[in-house]
Amino acid sequence: MGFREIERLYLGGISVILDAREEINLGSEINIAQDEGAETVGCGPLLQALSTSSMPLRQQVFEYVRSHGHAARADITEALSISPGTATTLTAELIASGHLREIESANRESGRGRPRVALEVVPEAAYVIGIKLAFNRHTAVLADFAGNVIADVSIASSDQRRSVAQVVQETSDLIEALLKTSGKSWHEIKAIGIGLPGLVEHETGTVVWSPLLQSGAEELSQALTAHFSVPLLLDNDANMLTLAELWFGEGRSISDFAVVTVESGVGMGLVLRNQLYRGAHGMGLELGHTKVQLDGALCKCGQRGCLEAYLADYALIREAATALGSAYDPAQGPEDILASLYEQAKSGHQAAETIFRRASRYLSLALSNVVQLFDPELIILSGERMQYDYLYADEVMTAMDAMILNEGRKSCQVKVNAWDGLVWARGATALALSSITASLISHAKAA
Ligand SMILES: [Zn+2]
């Protein structure tokens, strides 16, 4: 299962590539980041070995094998610039500890002689859970040590702010459902990654503020830790999405890129030199709350003039009642209202069109600012909402291009990835996997 490239457009200095990912069967194994017809090979950043790494050599060997799916000792020796003897010792330790295993490589030289022996990750060496907590729907996936998704669940949630205790209960229900679906038990789970909207200090796991919570956000981490006796990693949901691109998607082989997502909020993640950039205080980047209008529209955060207040789902929905008139059904959920609004716009309904047109102009503005500030090689427009093509219409890219100082500037590519709804939770598995890998592998020698 993969995605197929459906269209390429080149506009001024900006090239736009649109991908449509196929629907994914819930409950089945998913391979999200692959070209059509090609098998997913490994997971994790492919450029890791090229960066200056402070990682222990044993872990570098492991990460190399995981990111390439499988690798022969000779390839590891060459890629990490280590001696064949060192590669043999380190791989022997990783095999003895049950993290790597030997497989017969299909790559037999000239079809003669002994087949080459390659190494691969032992998938069942560890399991992790990735979760996205959100308004209306929570999602979770369970992945093995090689990054394969074993199971997923999605449960409806409230569209209201809730207490810390409610979030803990909802997370617990989600995990129980996931364990039941996967047939795995609690003791097999080595870490849980959780992404949620808001300001999260990743290092300490402190949720400073989240639109999901009524109050006491800073107590969430402690409450979750007290409830689950498994290492927990919390992060901003846009960072989860960015990790999904870095580990499983387009960003695997790109050193500097930005991810922008438009849904119930407007999020952004940034990868600099193959690493997720979280800022000096670990709070990440809040593109949605950058101001685009002084004294402008009221944002969910309580301030005025935030980008989100013009571009996110709720910004469109609050105008939908007026625009749709009798076609507006308040009993519908936000996703359905948005779908109706989009349908109306497509069929030429002028007021509905106006709503989308304004939102798309603000997206152009946001993207041009991202280019001006960070000079990324690629901007990935990611998330479920990319099924709405107004977000990457010609006018958006033309307007974005017009707002960038293009004199002598190298072009920035914009790529659209319309992932399925599990992408966020999948990114959270990357957070959990990268966290447990260091501790499991560092103990490999003693095992
Ligand atoms: Zn705001």
Side-chain angles (χ1 to χ4, degrees):
M1 207 175 302
F3 63 83
R4 85 201 135 80
E5 195 170 294
I6 53 173
E7 199 177 347
R8 277 172 196 268
L9 305 165
Y10 293 95
L11 301 153
I14 299 163
S15 58
V16 186
I17 301 176
L18 313 179
D19 291 336
R21 288 173 193 270
E22 294 174 359
E23 280 293 314
I24 283 168
N25 295 324
L26 289 178
S28 67
E29 183 175 315
I30 56 169
N31 295 315
I32 329 184
Q34 58 185 357
D35 290 318
E36 190 171 33
E39 286 205 12
T40 295
V41 180
C43 72
L46 281 166
L47 296 179
Q48 201 146 18
L50 304 178
S51 63
T52 312
S53 178
S54 55
M55 231 180 245
L57 207 46
R58 194 186 303 115
Q59 191 183 345
Q60 287 187 44
V61 169
F62 177 85
E63 301 278 10
Y64 182 85
V65 174
R66 179 160 60 189
S67 64
H68 288 79
H70 54 82
R73 285 185 182 82
D75 300 331
I76 299 168
T77 304
E78 193 184 334
L80 302 182
S81 302
I82 55 177
S83 72
T86 305
T88 301
T89 306
L90 294 172
T91 53
E93 287 170 4
L94 287 161
I95 291 169
S97 64
H99 297 112
L100 290 185
R101 67 185 174 202
E102 287 188 330
I103 50 163
E104 213 172 81
S105 168
N107 187 14
R108 192 189 289 236
E109 279 167 29
S110 314
R112 296 186 358 199
R114 281 169 51 190
R116 289 179 74 197
V117 171
L119 295 153
E120 69 172 12
V121 170
V122 178
E124 55 273 21
Y127 294 97
V128 298
I129 289 174
I131 290 173
K132 186 205 182 188
L133 299 176
F135 287 115
N136 304 311
R137 190 162 45 122
H138 298 321
T139 47
V141 299
L142 191 144
D144 65 25
F145 207 28
N148 303 305
V149 171
I150 306 297
D152 60 79
V153 292
S154 164
I155 58 175
S157 78
S158 151
D159 61 354
Q160 303 295 314
R161 285 171 173 254
R162 61 210 79 187
S163 67
V164 166
Q166 271 173 291
V167 172
V168 173
Q169 189 56 53
E170 287 169 14
T171 308
S172 178
D173 293 346
L174 192 65
I175 293 175
E176 289 301 336
L178 184 65
L179 290 175
K180 199 172 170 193
T181 305
S182 65
K184 300 290 169 199
S185 56
W186 262 114
H187 76 269
E188 293 175 274
I189 307 303
K190 303 297 180 211
I192 301 172
I194 301 177
L196 73 166
L199 291 175
V200 184
E201 286 177 357
H202 170 64
E203 288 293 317
T204 60
T206 307
V207 179
V208 178
W209 171 84
S210 171
L212 285 181
L213 289 159
Q214 286 161 347
S215 61
E218 65 283 358
E219 293 157 22
L220 180 64
S221 172
Q222 214 178 357
L224 287 167
T225 307
H227 194 87
F228 306 107
S229 52
V230 170
L232 276 173
L233 295 308
L234 276 103
D235 210 338
N236 170 281
D237 54 4
N239 283 347
M240 298 297 89
L241 193 64
T242 310
L243 277 178
E245 296 289 356
L246 182 63
W247 272 64
F248 309 108
E250 293 303 315
R252 291 188 68 205
S253 52
I254 296 174
S255 66
D256 299 87
F257 66 92
V259 174
V260 172
T261 179
V262 182
E263 289 191 11
S264 58
V266 177
M268 175 180 170
L270 187 68
V271 168
L272 297 176
R273 308 216 164 180
N274 314 318
Q275 287 205 316
L276 182 63
Y277 174 76
R278 289 193 169 91
H281 306 98
M283 288 194 177
L285 306 168
E286 291 291 340
L287 182 67
H289 301 284
T290 55
K291 304 299 177 280
V292 292
Q293 180 72 57
L294 283 172
D295 302 324
L298 188 61
C299 176
K300 264 185 180 171
C301 72
Q303 298 192 354
R304 286 192 173 275
C306 297
L307 172 69
E308 210 166 279
Y310 296 91
L311 184 52
D313 287 358
Y314 71 89
L316 277 60
I317 288 166
R318 70 180 163 196
E319 294 192 327
T322 315
L324 294 178
S326 59
Y328 177 77
D329 177 5
Q332 285 183 320
E335 287 182 11
D336 292 334
I337 294 174
L338 209 56
S340 309
L341 191 67
Y342 184 66
E343 234 169 72
Q344 294 284 334
K346 278 282 172 194
S347 61
H349 190 293
Q350 212 177 351
E353 260 180 7
T354 312
I355 293 174
F356 286 113
R357 200 173 302 123
R358 186 175 81 157
S360 65
R361 285 177 65 219
Y362 276 99
L363 179 62
S364 306
L365 172 68
L367 295 179
S368 71
N369 286 343
V370 171
V371 173
Q372 300 278 210
L373 287 168
F374 301 110
D375 185 30
E377 184 183 336
L378 170 73
I379 296 177
I380 302 170
L381 289 173
S382 187
E384 292 168 79
R385 218 53 89 233
M386 294 307 147
Q387 58 190 289
Y388 297 136
D389 59 6
Y390 75 91
L391 287 171
Y392 46 85
D394 293 5
E395 303 86 72
V396 176
M397 299 306 149
T398 308
M400 164 186 163
D401 199 20
M403 283 185 265
I404 296 168
L405 293 178
N406 269 324
E407 206 70 41
R409 172 181 282 276
K410 284 198 175 171
S411 69
C412 171
Q413 199 180 63
V414 178
K415 189 157 188 165
V416 178
N417 282 349
W419 296 80
D420 69 289
L422 296 175
V423 59
W424 307 77
R426 188 114 202 259
T429 65
L431 188 71
L433 281 173
S434 60
S435 164
I436 57 160
T437 300
S439 58
L440 288 178
I441 298 304
S442 66
H443 293 117
K445 197 175 180 181

